[in-house]
Amino acid sequence: MVELRILGSPSLLGREGQDVRSVVHQPRRLALLSYLTLSACGTYLRRDKLLALFWPRSPEKKARSSLSEALSRLRTSLGEDVIVTRGSDEVGVAADAIWCDVLELRRAVDESRWSAVAELYQGPLLDGLLLDGLHDLEQWFALQSGHLARTALDALGRLSDAAIAEGDDSAHIWAERAFQLDPLDSGAARRVMLVLANSGHRA
């Protein structure tokens, strides 16, 4: 199974555990795999939607050729069964062929596994990835990144509150992580102050 980590600094491991640099070091290729994984894992997207996001200023024929080439290179790098198609107009990712930290985080949220959420969140979505001129795509990733950050902040808050209530020493770890994630969040700041006060640092 391919392993895709895109929370924080991106990494991609092939089936044998090798770094797949041919994808990670190509911003548009990495963005395409990430977008398909987050939007079409176990389902399909129309090619027209991908063309509008990834090649918005190219003539349709050239854009379709560029998409076909990008998908072909992904198959070469990852294996033939990761990128799947339905007919000639739909593309997706096989759910049983890829593991992704964002998808795992979503499952952890659904199952209220807050410590798993905190562990999986290692930073902003595709941190440092530059997509020159692809405004709509950048905006989509920015919205996803903001939602994931808020989800992580909520999980850290829940873990902090539970640890504070139980008098657990891990309270300061969760509270500090939440505060570092968003120093302007009043709840995070309150928890840090409460943990310090409880440990005798009332000043």
Side-chain angles (χ1 to χ4, degrees):
M1 181 176 284
V2 170
E3 180 181 298
L4 176 64
R5 292 185 180 271
I6 48 179
L7 288 169
S9 181
S11 72
L12 178 63
L13 300 179
R15 283 184 172 80
E16 306 302 320
Q18 76 279 15
D19 288 323
V20 186
R21 296 194 176 104
S22 60
V23 175
V24 174
H25 292 170
Q26 294 291 328
R28 196 176 308 220
R29 210 174 295 169
L30 175 61
L32 178 58
L33 176 62
S34 300
Y35 185 84
L36 284 171
T37 301
L38 299 188
S39 301
C41 190
T43 183
Y44 297 89
L45 287 175
R46 291 189 60 81
R47 286 178 184 252
D48 290 347
K49 184 175 181 65
L50 298 173
L51 298 179
L53 286 171
F54 286 86
W55 292 275
R57 291 182 295 278
S58 295
E60 183 178 354
K61 185 176 180 179
K62 183 178 180 181
R64 287 188 176 277
S65 176
S66 296
L67 174 58
S68 294
E69 181 181 358
L71 294 173
S72 175
R73 289 185 179 275
L74 286 176
R75 288 192 180 98
T76 299
S77 298
L78 304 175
E80 291 293 329
D81 60 336
V82 176
I83 304 298
V84 293
T85 57
R86 185 169 62 184
S88 59
D89 289 326
E90 294 182 304
V91 183
V93 169
D96 60 352
I98 193 167
W99 180 95
C100 177
D101 53 358
V102 175
L103 300 183
E104 185 61 29
L105 184 146
R106 290 175 179 172
R107 281 190 286 269
V109 170
D110 290 343
E111 297 166 5
S112 300
R113 293 185 287 116
W114 306 118
S115 59
V117 174
E119 181 180 351
L120 286 161
Y121 189 81
Q122 295 296 312
L125 181 64
L126 290 169
D127 195 19
L129 183 70
L130 298 176
L131 297 169
D132 187 37
L134 301 180
H135 175 74
D136 289 348
L137 186 62
E138 286 183 328
Q139 187 175 47
W140 187 87
F141 278 121
L143 288 171
Q144 297 299 313
S145 185
H147 174 71
L148 289 163
R150 290 190 296 273
T151 299
L153 186 64
D154 177 64
L156 290 166
R158 291 171 182 268
L159 291 166
S160 300
D161 289 341
I164 289 169
E166 295 169 6
D168 194 303
D169 291 341
S170 65
H172 78 279
I173 297 174
W174 304 125
E176 285 287 349
R177 277 198 61 189
F179 184 69
Q180 290 170 7
L181 180 57
D182 188 356
L184 299 179
D185 182 76
S186 59
R190 176 185 58 78
R191 291 184 185 98
V192 169
M193 290 188 288
L194 183 58
V195 168
L196 287 171
N198 288 345
S199 62
H201 299 84
R202 300 191 63 83

